[in-house]
């Protein structure tokens, strides 16, 4: 993989980031309402003061200058102040981000651990009973909305069986192994909800991708050389079949972040998803804008990562 | 090799390649599609269930004329009984009546958002497919940009910013409905646009289009009369799946408290109210959740069957 390829991909990322910022800003600018609306009804504040405030914060400037001001502020990390949490927005987000990334990361691992063996097995025995059951379960899996699976999990594992806690606690007063065990125990349900939902859609991708590869000539060659079936599948088929799956995992990321918002809300995980919802419900606009922007940037960044991995796995791509 | 594998594995084994010699009765493409659709048993069963569900929510209020907001504290949080077949909530309101009402909204939102998505998608895709050069490039850049946007955060953001405004303009229920439909539809057109563009690119070079052009058909006539009808198959499939996705999106918004307000019972908002009573009244959460699941999975299976019927070459 050439360095040129990576640089080209990074350069392509810039316009999409600009595009996303433009979309977000347009949405914000089109939104009705005025930050100083409340002052208009306050008799203690004369209209001149309000006009001066508007001028000071640049609300009367043309749209383009406002966009540029906003963009520069976002790039410089000056994301505003959260009046609800009483702290800077960037600090608040940095505090919440690791939890979200851990939840999403481990749920992706679960999804791949489930989808890979099931998808490969289903594709090696197409139309068998296993294949049909797996496919039907996959349909069930991605037709169950995450908020309902989450509630079902709570109902079964917390209320009926009383195995797992259903509220995520950030400060656990335990030390050593106990501390880690409690953390793992309270993460199981959010991670499983997200992971199984992702896994269900991945199974079908893996299956069709393996089916595309399994009948190619080089696989027949490998078989006719007397390599065992298991080795043919793991060494020859799966390796190539997984290349498109990498892109698909990346393309699914916007959905994963959506799912993370829902699961964080249900299990009260203190990540950026629950931060987004709580700041919407308490009208904390700077936080809302910043979180949306961060999630959008993360999605673009992971897409870039997938492109680079794709180029590394399949060198033909990077010479196009 | 993809062509050798039937589009979906839930379909029965493929029919023998050489069918029994039939009489030379011409079958229309739609009859052909219907024949293929019927082979997908799960899709047919799903169609029946879906029709029953639609009948239940449209005819339900006539058979079960209970008010959705009749408060009866004596009967609060009760499980299913003859008086309340699906139980009651914390105010003693009848859940069956509320779910029937919510089902109307949820299904209507799904259909309307799908129509918005398909119309936008077809227009963008057709424009891109017919006009080569920078128009095509710009439209496809826009499509890719929208595909990279995280859907749910943006949906939430739009709801958050515009909710009160729409409430003032169109009333509580109408405002929420219009906003949700426009927002969901406006963020889900990309798939259709890409499909339509791809179809247009190959169809516009076909002989029959060439013939029509040679006969002096205008560009509009070419698109509407000749190309678009042939590009419809994948669009119908994508549209079906969009209905399911829109139902999930609406329920998610309502569940998170940014869709329909609590006093309008949609499946998602009933579920949100129910989630704090899981330990004492699990039925309250189970029935709306099951309703969403049933609607979504039947629509998804229908989509799978339609894919077999209309778009037999695609494997996934």
């Amino acid at each position: 993989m050439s360095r040129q390829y990576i640089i080209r991909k990074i350069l392509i990322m810039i316009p999409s980031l600009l595009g996303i910022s433009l979309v977000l800003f347009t949405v914000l600018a089109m939104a009705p309402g005025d930050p100083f609306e409340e002052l208009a009804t306050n008799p203690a504040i004369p209209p001149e003061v309000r006009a001066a405030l508007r001028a000071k914060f640049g609300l009367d400037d043309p749209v383009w200058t406002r966009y540029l001001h906003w963009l520069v502020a976002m790039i410089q990390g000056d994301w505003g102040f959260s009046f609800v949490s009483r702290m800077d927005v960037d600090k608040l987000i940095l505090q919440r981000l690791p939890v979200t990334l851990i939840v999403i990361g481990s749920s992706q691992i679960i999804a791949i651990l489930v989808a890979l063996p099931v998808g490969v097995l289903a594709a090696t025995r197409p139309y068998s009973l296993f294949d049909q059951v797996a496919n039907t379960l996959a349909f069930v899996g991605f037709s169950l909305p995450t908020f309902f699976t989450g509630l079902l999990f709570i109902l079964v594992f917390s209320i009926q069986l009383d195995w797992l806690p259903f509220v995520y606690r950030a400060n656990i007063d335990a030390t050593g192994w106990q501390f880690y065990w409690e953390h793992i125990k309270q993460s199981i349900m959010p991670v499983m909800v997200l992971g199984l939902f992702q896994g269900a859609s991945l199974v079908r991708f893996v299956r069709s991708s393996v089916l595309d590869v399994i009948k190619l000539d080089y696989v027949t060659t490998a078989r006719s050389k007397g390599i065992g079936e298991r080795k043919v599948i793991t060494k020859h088929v799966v390796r190539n079949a997984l290349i498109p799956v990498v892109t698909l995992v990346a393309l699914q990321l916007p959905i994963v972040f959506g799912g993370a918002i829902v699961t964080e809300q249900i299990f009260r995980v203190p990540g950026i998803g629950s931060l987004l919802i709580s700041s919407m419900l308490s009208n904390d606009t700077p936080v809302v804008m910043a979180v949306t922007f961060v999630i959008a940037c993360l999605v673009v960044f992971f897409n870039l990562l997938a492109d680079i991995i794709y180029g590394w796995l399949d060198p033909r791509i990077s010479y196009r | 090799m993809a062509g050798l594998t039937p589009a979906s594995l839930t379909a029965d084994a493929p029919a023998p390649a050489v069918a029994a010699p039939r009489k030379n009765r011409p079958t229309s493409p739609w009859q052909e599609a219907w024949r293929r659709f019927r082979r997908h048993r799960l899709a047919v069963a799903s169609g029946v269930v879906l029709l029953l569900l639609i009948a239940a929510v449209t005819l339900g209020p006539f058979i079960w004329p209970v008010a959705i907001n009749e408060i009866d504290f004596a009967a609060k949080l009760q499980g299913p009984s003859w008086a309340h077949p699906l139980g009651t909530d914390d105010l003693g309101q009848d859940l069956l009546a509320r779910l029937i009402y919510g089902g109307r909204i949820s299904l209507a939102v799904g259909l309307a958002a799908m129509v918005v998505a398909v119309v936008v998608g077809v227009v963008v895709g057709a424009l891109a497919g017919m006009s080569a050069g920078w128009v095509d490039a710009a439209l496809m850049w826009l499509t890719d940009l929208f595909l990279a946007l995280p859907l749910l955060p943006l949906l939430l953001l739009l709801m958050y910013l515009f909710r009160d405004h729409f409430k003032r303009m169109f009333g509580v229920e109408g405002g929420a409905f219009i906003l949700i439909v426009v927002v969901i539809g406006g963020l889900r057109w990309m798939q259709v646009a890409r499909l339509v563009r791809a179809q247009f690119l190959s169809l516009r070079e076909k002989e029959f289009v060439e013939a029509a052009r040679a006969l002096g058909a205008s560009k509009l006539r070419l698109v509407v009369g000749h190309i678009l009808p042939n590009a419809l198959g994948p669009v119908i499939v994508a549209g079906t799946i969009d209905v399911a996705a829109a139902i999930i999106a609406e329920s998610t918004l309502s569940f998170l408290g940014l869709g329909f307000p609590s006093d309008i019972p949609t499946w998602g908002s009933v579920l949100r109210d129910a989630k704090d009573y899981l330990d004492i009244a699990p039925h309250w959460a189970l029935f709306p959740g099951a309703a969403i699941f049933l609607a979504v999975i039947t629509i998804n299976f229908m989509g799978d069957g339609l894919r077999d019927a209309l778009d037999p070459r695609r494997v996934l």
Side-chain angles (χ1 to χ4, degrees), chain B residues 196-207 209 227:
Chain B
V196 169
R197 173 177 174 268
Q199 291 275 315
F200 266 55
L201 285 184
S202 81
L203 284 173
R204 71 172 192 197
E205 310 296 337
K206 288 269 158 68
E207 287 87 350
V209 177
I227 303 183

Side-chain angles (χ1 to χ4, degrees), chain A residues 32 127 131 143 208 258 285 288 299, chain B residues 6 9 148 152 157 160 165 300 316:
Chain A
Y127 310 106
D131 188 19
S143 298
S208 72
T285 307
V288 172
V299 168
Chain B
L9 65 157
L152 190 62
L157 182 70
Y160 164 70
H165 189 61
N300 275 340
L316 194 74

Side-chain angles (χ1 to χ4, degrees), chain B residues 177-193:
Chain B
F177 184 84
I178 295 175
L179 181 58
I180 289 178
V181 164
V182 169
V183 165
I184 294 179
L187 289 174
R188 290 207 64 91
W189 52 269
M190 296 81 75
Q191 206 62 42
V192 174

Side-chain angles (χ1 to χ4, degrees), chain A:
Chain A
M1 187 169 54
S2 59
R3 184 175 296 156
Q4 263 179 341
Y5 173 73
I6 299 179
I7 293 172
R8 202 170 63 214
K9 284 290 165 193
I10 291 175
L11 286 181
I12 291 176
M13 193 175 86
I14 292 170
S16 32
L17 278 179
L18 281 179
I20 286 172
S21 71
L22 202 59
V23 169
L24 284 185
F25 183 79
T26 316
V27 166
L28 188 65
M30 278 191 331
D34 177 339
F36 299 116
E37 205 169 359
E38 287 166 23
L39 301 185
T41 52
N42 189 340
I45 296 168
E48 300 88 65
V49 175
R50 198 168 146 241
L53 270 175
R54 286 185 64 91
K56 186 187 170 207
F57 285 99
L59 283 175
D60 297 324
D61 295 349
V63 172
W64 272 110
T65 26
R66 268 160 62 200
Y67 171 66
L68 285 179
H69 276 295
W70 179 78
L71 190 65
V72 169
M74 286 308 260
I75 291 171
Q76 286 176 344
D78 177 14
W79 291 357
F81 186 79
S82 161
F83 288 101
V84 176
S85 308
R86 301 263 159 219
M87 63 193 298
D88 282 340
V89 174
D90 48 340
K91 282 205 193 100
L92 186 62
I93 289 179
L94 274 182
Q95 230 174 46
R96 300 288 200 103
L97 195 58
V99 182
T100 302
L101 289 181
I102 290 174
V103 168
I104 287 182
S106 26
S107 68
Q108 287 295 303
I109 293 173
I110 298 280
I112 292 170
L113 283 183
V114 171
L116 206 60
V118 175
V120 171
L121 265 181
T124 45
R125 300 173 183 72
Y127 310 106
S128 66
L129 184 67
F130 177 81
D131 188 19
Q132 303 215 8
V133 170
N135 187 56
T136 313
L137 282 184
F139 256 98
V140 171
F142 67 74
S143 298
L144 269 172
T146 35
F147 52 87
F148 188 45
T149 350
L151 293 185
L152 282 180
F153 271 44
I154 290 180
L155 198 59
V156 174
F157 295 108
S158 293
I159 293 173
Q160 299 289 332
L161 299 171
D162 200 14
W163 286 352
L164 302 166
F166 62 88
V167 175
Y168 193 98
R169 288 181 306 153
N171 47 340
I172 289 171
D173 45 348
T175 46
W177 289 109
Q178 188 67 25
F179 177 80
Y180 290 107
W181 174 234
E182 290 290 325
H183 261 291
I184 291 173
K185 232 166 82 174
Q186 65 184 1
S187 318
I188 289 178
M189 284 204 291
V191 168
M192 286 308 273
V193 166
L194 257 186
L196 291 181
F197 180 75
Q198 270 319 101
S201 34
L202 271 186
V203 163
R204 284 157 49 89
F205 291 144
V206 172
R207 175 183 180 273
S208 72
S209 167
V210 170
L211 269 185
D212 279 348
V213 171
I214 209 162
K215 286 176 186 154
L216 292 182
D217 288 343
Y218 84 93
V219 180
T220 317
T221 312
R223 277 210 189 94
S224 60
K225 283 197 291 190
I227 304 173
E229 184 66 23
R230 174 185 286 261
K231 217 169 177 183
V232 170
I233 297 291
T234 52
K235 293 256 154 129
H236 293 78
V237 174
V238 171
R239 274 191 164 192
N240 277 316
L242 282 190
I243 296 174
V245 174
V246 172
T247 336
L248 285 166
V249 170
L251 279 179
Q252 292 268 306
L253 266 179
I255 303 172
V256 180
F257 273 96
I261 292 176
V262 175
T263 38
E264 283 182 9
Q265 184 67 11
I266 294 175
F267 297 102
R268 299 180 206 165
V269 180
I272 52 170
S274 51
L275 179 66
L276 180 68
I277 304 294
S278 61
S279 27
M280 279 179 173
L281 296 178
S282 57
N283 279 324
D284 199 356
T285 307
V287 182
V288 172
M289 290 308 289
V291 172
T292 320
F293 191 67
V294 166
I295 294 179
C297 289
L298 282 176
V299 168
V300 173
F301 172 73
F302 283 118
N303 274 327
L304 171 79
L305 210 62
D307 270 347
I308 292 176
I309 296 177
Y310 197 25
W312 175 61
L313 288 175
D314 188 350
R316 287 171 300 179
I317 301 291
S318 50
Y319 287 110
R320 252 203 333 222

Side-chain angles (χ1 to χ4, degrees), chain B residues 23-41:
Chain B
K23 291 188 184 112
N24 283 339
R25 197 152 41 98
T27 49
S28 78
W30 294 109
Q31 281 171 320
E32 235 356 74
W34 171 236
R35 194 181 58 76
R36 280 197 297 265
F37 182 77
R38 270 182 324 190
R39 273 221 309 264
H40 194 315
R41 272 192 244 130

